[in-house]
Amino acid sequence: MDALSMMLSGSRAEGAFLLRSLLDPPWSLRIEDHAPVTVLAVLRGSAVVISDTGQTENLATGDVALLRGPDSYRVADHPDTPIHVIIDEMQNCTAVDGSPLEDMSVLGIRTWGNSTNGQTVMLTGTYRLDSYVSRQILDSLSPVAVVPGSTETDSMTKLLGQQISADGPGQEVLLDRLLDLVLISTVRTWFTEHPDCAPQWITAYEDPVIGHALRLMHNRPEHRWTVESLAHETGCSRAAFARRFTAQLGIGPVGYLTQWRLSVAANLLADPSRTVSSIAREVGYSSPFALTTAFTRHHGMSPRSFRQSPAQQG
């Protein structure tokens, strides 16, 4: 699988926090949950998002925004509306002075707001789990990445909006997968609209030669790929393939393969049941010692230390 596909499996929602908000102006919410990434979709009306990074974005009906954590942000009907709700890391909602809210109430399953109808209807989904590969991709986004409503995203956000207030068997799993689809579709669309920000491998995928080589390496990192074998698979001479690959990605095939293997290894270390030996085999290293040596050189710490680092402990 390529890195964008791995993002979906590595950062897939598991019991994600999902909420539908029904709001009449004036309203202003400050979000301090520090989630790795939040999906915010406007189903009706409009909103403005102000990130602590200084970025401000206006959202219209159909727009989807990805908010990159851990920065806090504010979402409101207007930039000048004073904050009257603060949402913390446990998704607790309080007034600015810490007192219970009087003008916001639960309006149904996964639904709240200050109106039973709401001039503005928003869907918010927050991801608690992060992964090494997905973080590399998300860091390429702006702090608030906005994708205007489109045929691709509209159908998924509308379906999520229909299902968010239902409570049938398996509902949480269904909602998690719908949220994943909205996330991955929004990321793909944003990179298409902002090619200068996209990781180099995304644009390189469009090259028939280099794209094929990348798929081989992404899907089979355990294989003993060489420049010669990759060139053979793509129908190029070794020299022509190496030049073309380096020109597209700014790094040679062997160097790229090493980086990819060690990124996958970092992702797999998030699973405490996986041993370094099993991960070494899965990413093409002959022994746990060989993986540890390469991993330490690349990441600046051993696999064991990486696994115990605060970022991996959540």
Side-chain angles (χ1 to χ4, degrees):
M1 73 176 58
D2 62 66
L4 200 54
S5 297
M6 182 168 282
M7 174 185 171
L8 180 56
S9 60
S11 272
R12 72 188 318 179
E14 297 294 344
F17 177 79
L18 275 161
L19 185 69
R20 181 176 64 163
S21 300
L22 309 180
L23 300 161
D24 282 341
W27 56 272
S28 179
L29 321 175
R30 177 164 173 79
I31 317 300
E32 299 178 345
D33 61 4
H34 308 301
V37 63
T38 297
V39 179
L40 178 63
V42 178
L43 297 188
R44 182 169 70 226
S46 61
V48 58
V49 177
I50 305 100
S51 171
D52 279 6
T53 63
Q55 185 179 355
T56 299
E57 296 289 346
N58 294 304
L59 306 181
T61 300
D63 291 352
V64 182
L66 301 181
L67 299 117
R68 192 182 70 204
D71 299 307
S72 298
Y73 63 93
R74 183 162 63 92
V75 57
D77 67 306
H78 189 276
D80 296 333
T81 301
I83 298 169
H84 72 281
V85 177
I86 296 178
I87 301 176
D88 66 16
E89 293 189 42
M90 301 304 294
Q91 302 299 337
N92 297 315
C93 303
T94 61
V96 175
D97 62 4
S99 62
L101 293 172
E102 297 181 355
D103 57 345
M104 304 290 282
S105 59
V106 175
L107 302 172
I109 298 171
R110 304 182 191 88
T111 304
W112 84 316
N114 62 9
S115 168
T116 55
N117 187 32
Q119 292 184 28
T120 293
V121 178
M122 298 188 305
L123 301 180
T124 306
T126 59
Y127 281 73
R128 278 288 162 209
L129 297 179
D130 205 358
S131 73
Y132 182 81
V133 170
S134 68
R135 177 48 55 187
Q136 291 179 302
I137 295 170
L138 292 173
D139 283 349
S140 299
L141 302 171
S142 60
V144 183
V146 178
V147 170
S150 66
T151 302
E152 181 174 356
T153 57
D154 282 354
S155 59
M156 285 179 277
T157 55
K158 287 178 180 177
L159 182 56
L160 182 59
Q162 292 167 3
Q163 292 293 325
I164 198 169
S165 58
D167 201 22
Q171 194 68 21
E172 283 197 4
V173 176
L174 173 62
L175 292 173
D176 285 344
R177 298 294 76 80
L178 289 174
L179 180 60
D180 286 337
L181 291 174
V182 174
L183 172 67
I184 202 72
S185 174
T186 305
V187 170
R188 288 198 319 181
T189 303
W190 195 87
F191 280 139
T192 298
E193 295 175 352
H194 301 82
D196 292 343
C197 299
Q200 288 178 305
W201 61 265
I202 288 185
T203 52
Y205 250 65
E206 302 302 318
D207 184 295
V209 172
I210 306 307
H212 182 48
L214 288 173
R215 289 180 181 89
L216 292 172
M217 289 188 276
H218 287 161
N219 291 325
R220 298 171 61 193
E222 78 288 351
H223 188 76
R224 293 187 177 182
W225 296 113
T226 64
V227 177
E228 289 84 359
S229 63
L230 288 167
H232 175 76
E233 290 285 346
T234 58
C236 283
S237 70
R238 181 188 184 282
F241 171 74
R243 285 195 301 270
R244 188 165 175 169
F245 192 101
T246 304
Q248 286 269 0
L249 288 130
I251 187 173
V254 174
Y256 180 88
L257 177 60
T258 298
Q259 289 186 1
W260 174 245
R261 284 171 167 168
L262 296 174
S263 292
V264 175
N267 237 43
L268 295 174
L269 283 166
D271 182 351
S273 68
R274 297 298 303 269
T275 66
V276 175
S277 293
S278 68
I279 293 172
R281 290 191 298 271
E282 191 162 334
V283 298
Y285 283 88
S286 59
S287 68
F289 176 77
L291 172 60
T292 297
T293 301
F295 192 97
T296 303
R297 184 185 306 118
H298 182 74
H299 290 289
M301 64 180 75
S302 68
R304 180 176 180 179
S305 297
F306 184 88
R307 174 174 270 167
Q308 295 173 346
S309 65
Q312 296 303 305
Q313 296 299 311

